[in-house]
Amino acid sequence: MAATDLERFSNAEPEPRSLSLGGHVGFDSLPDQLVSKSVTQGFSFNILCVGETGIGKSTLMNTLFNTTFETEEASHHEACVRLRPQTYDLQESNVQLKLTIVDAVGFGDQINKDESYRPIVDYIDAQFENYLQEELKIRRSLFDYHDTRIHVCLYFITPTGHSLKSLDLVTMKKLDSKVNIIPIIAKADTISKSELHKFKIKIMGELVSNGVQIYQFPTDDEAVAEINAVMNAHLPFAVVGSTEEVKVGNKLVRARQYPWGVVQVENENHCDFVKLREMLIRVNMEDLREQTHSRHYELYRRCKLEEMGFQDSDGDSQPFSLQETYEAKRKEFLSELQRKEEEMRQMFVNKVKETELELKEKERELHEKFEHLKRVHQEEKRKVEEKRRELEEETNAFNRRKAAVEALQSQALHATSQQPLRKDKDKKNRSDIGAQQPGMSLSSSKVMMTKASVEPLNCSSWWPAIQCCSCLVRDATWREGFL
Amino acid sequence: MSTGLRYKSKLATPGEPSDIDKQYVGFATLPNQVHRKSVKKGFDFTLMVAGESGLGKSTLVHSLFLTDLYKDRKLLSAEERISQTVEILKHTVDIEEKGVKLKLTIVDTPGFGDAVNNTECWKPITDYVDQQFEQYFRDESGLNRKNIQDNRVHCCLYFISPFGHGLRPVDVGFMKALHEKVNIVPLIAKADCLVPSEIRKLKERIREEIDKFGIHVYQFPECDSDEDEDFKQQDRELKVNIPSPSFPQESAPFAVIGSNTVVEAKGQRVRGRLYPWGIVEVENQAHCDFVKLRNMLIRTHMHDLKDVTCDVHYENYRAHCIQQMTSKLTQDSRMESPIPILPLPTPDAETEKLIRMKDEELRRMQEMLQRMKQQMQDQ
């Protein structure tokens, strides 16, 4: 079945016949139309400059574009590499160019340069990502979009004269699949001709043996094939940059003045600046842009979409459309979401149950405890009651005994002193009735006499009584005298 | 070499011949005797060169001593250098000039600053310097001191890259690690990539940064009043009063160019580099400071470099070493010391700690008193 399908497919589109024209039609102006359109649109070009601090990146940019881009000198003590993009609008004849120069500030300064390449790679990827997002939008405006993808990376090599530095090798390997790299030997006025030749060979050898793919000028277009091939042999270009003008002969040229001579920037004998300018700007700028779009960007896009799970063709080799794939992905994603939600809900319910059980357990325990305590409390109360009763009984017993003892006492007292008690009662009566009489004292004295068992004195009053008192009389004289 | 001429014996003012005989004692010939003995003994000098590779260290050493020290040197490729460690290579040559013998040792440090991760890449170098000090210390304290080999590093030429705007972090790290152990002479390498105004700017920048980071580089000593006029003139050229605390010389750091080749310039054969736009002469003072460096290093200050190493750096090391050993000994008396230690009256760690604590307390008290006084005054 598949074979006949293919046949039908090929039969539907036969090989186009080439015809010759009878006269001038005019579609040879198509390139001109394209050109005028692109001129009105304006061009944009993005250069990334990577190299050690102070190696001459800004000076070279100034020299290349014959203007002064305002940049401040970078310090050597940056903590990490950061990228500084700056956009300028240039115009030459009637062609507008939106030039973006991205500087890798702080590259090569840190003591530990293991992660130096990462900010650069991240920046390049970010630009690709932005373009990809714009491309995938529903309402997109690609013709208006300011393309920030890096079209060329100028890698500045330090002119040690020996070989590449280890950092250079590591960084270029990371960048060669993402951007067009053109290596440049900077500050080339420090290397003599013979040393330069050896240096170039060494560098290219190292790049090739480590599999680093630098940008090769295209040799498929006949118009520029020859010059490009020649230039390819001169890579890497040894350049000198300068914005100062020195009088040489009777002209002012851009040059560097040394005590031993003058290095002219635009003298092909002195350095490869002219070659670089030719290649980079005058001949291959458009090719660089195209390569970035068709090779590097497409590679990025493919990797990114594959990551997301898209595929170009099914097992039956039927081309998938992006839309279907998108729908499928979306459904998958939603079902995944639902599943996850279910899971979470399950988990939640389980957890709730668990917690409930736990709470019940605790409640029961508390209840038990409460009961237990209550019982204990009752016990205690009962005991206390008992004790109280005992105490009461004892108190009662004690009271009774006390009463009994008192009664006994009072009885005893009664028996021994009954009369005095009665006389007292009479006396009490008499005194109550009549006035007080001296006889009272007599009676009382009588009591006393009775108790003391002495003879009562027969005296009318007490004074003679005292006088007569035997115990007071010592001799008769006193008695006689008195009587 | 003008060393012989410096020590001119000054005779007493000549009066009558008999006066001369009576007044002249003769110890004015001492310098000549010293000169004779030293020539017989011979000199030795150890020079260390350090810096990233590709800055022209070997070429400069070749130009300085006019001998090819490195035969069949193998340079590593970039791939191999990604995780390279620093090695220490010693090359010793015996050279002679006008009867004066010099045993020159060049200590090379290939691999410094070459790897991608250069954390503490100066550690092997500091270890080497300390090792030499330790070796000398043991020899000096030994019983048989007849033939002590002095392998201590007398001078370190540090090459700063001219492609930057000043000192880089790895330069600062290296110099700070070594400035108390060795005389550092910073140089700007490959100076033929800088025009004169740029050289001036870079030198100023480097001087500022050296001050800022507190690095102690080698200072040229003051000359005595009875030195030669030439010497004084040269010294004056080396130092010009510029207000900068640790760097009085205007020419330093020297911007040097080295060359292995001899080229023809103006009918003369000179040591230099041939460019399409001109010829750089290494020994032309207008082109670079190579001559100044050579004079300073070899012709005038070589012995002073040795003296500073012996008197300052080595003594610092020795005192530090002994203190460490005695504090260890008091803690652990079982440790054997390789050298005979006299009981030093250094206080042991315990009392020191107490003293420090008490000082702290005192200080706090004083502060509180101050504060109270302040408060009282305010009121």
Side-chain angles (χ1 to χ4, degrees), chain B residues 25 34 46 81 94 107 121 139-140 173 175 178 187 195 202 210 263 281 283 295 374:
Chain B
V25 179
V34 168
T46 310
R81 276 192 264 151
D94 279 320
V107 179
C121 60
D139 288 346
E140 195 188 46
M175 289 206 265
L178 278 177
L187 301 173
V195 291
L202 185 61
I210 285 181
V263 292
E281 293 166 40
E283 298 193 10
N295 288 348
Q374 261 312 64

Side-chain angles (χ1 to χ4, degrees), chain A residues 189-190 256-263, chain B residues 191-196 198 277:
Chain A
D189 49 358
T190 205
R256 283 172 69 77
Q257 172 122 52
Y258 289 106
W260 49 86
V262 177
V263 182
Chain B
D192 54 351
C193 81
L194 298 168
V195 291
E198 289 171 352
W277 47 85

Side-chain angles (χ1 to χ4, degrees), chain B residues 76-87:
Chain B
L76 295 177
S77 74
E79 213 186 327
E80 293 162 354
R81 276 192 264 151
I82 290 179
S83 47
Q84 191 188 26
T85 50
V86 181
E87 294 168 48

Side-chain angles (χ1 to χ4, degrees), chain A residues 319-335:
Chain A
F320 258 3
S321 84
L322 192 65
Q323 198 175 11
E324 284 176 28
T325 331
Y326 180 65
E327 274 303 315
K329 275 260 126 178
R330 190 154 178 274
K331 277 206 205 92
E332 210 187 294
F333 183 64
L334 282 175
S335 65

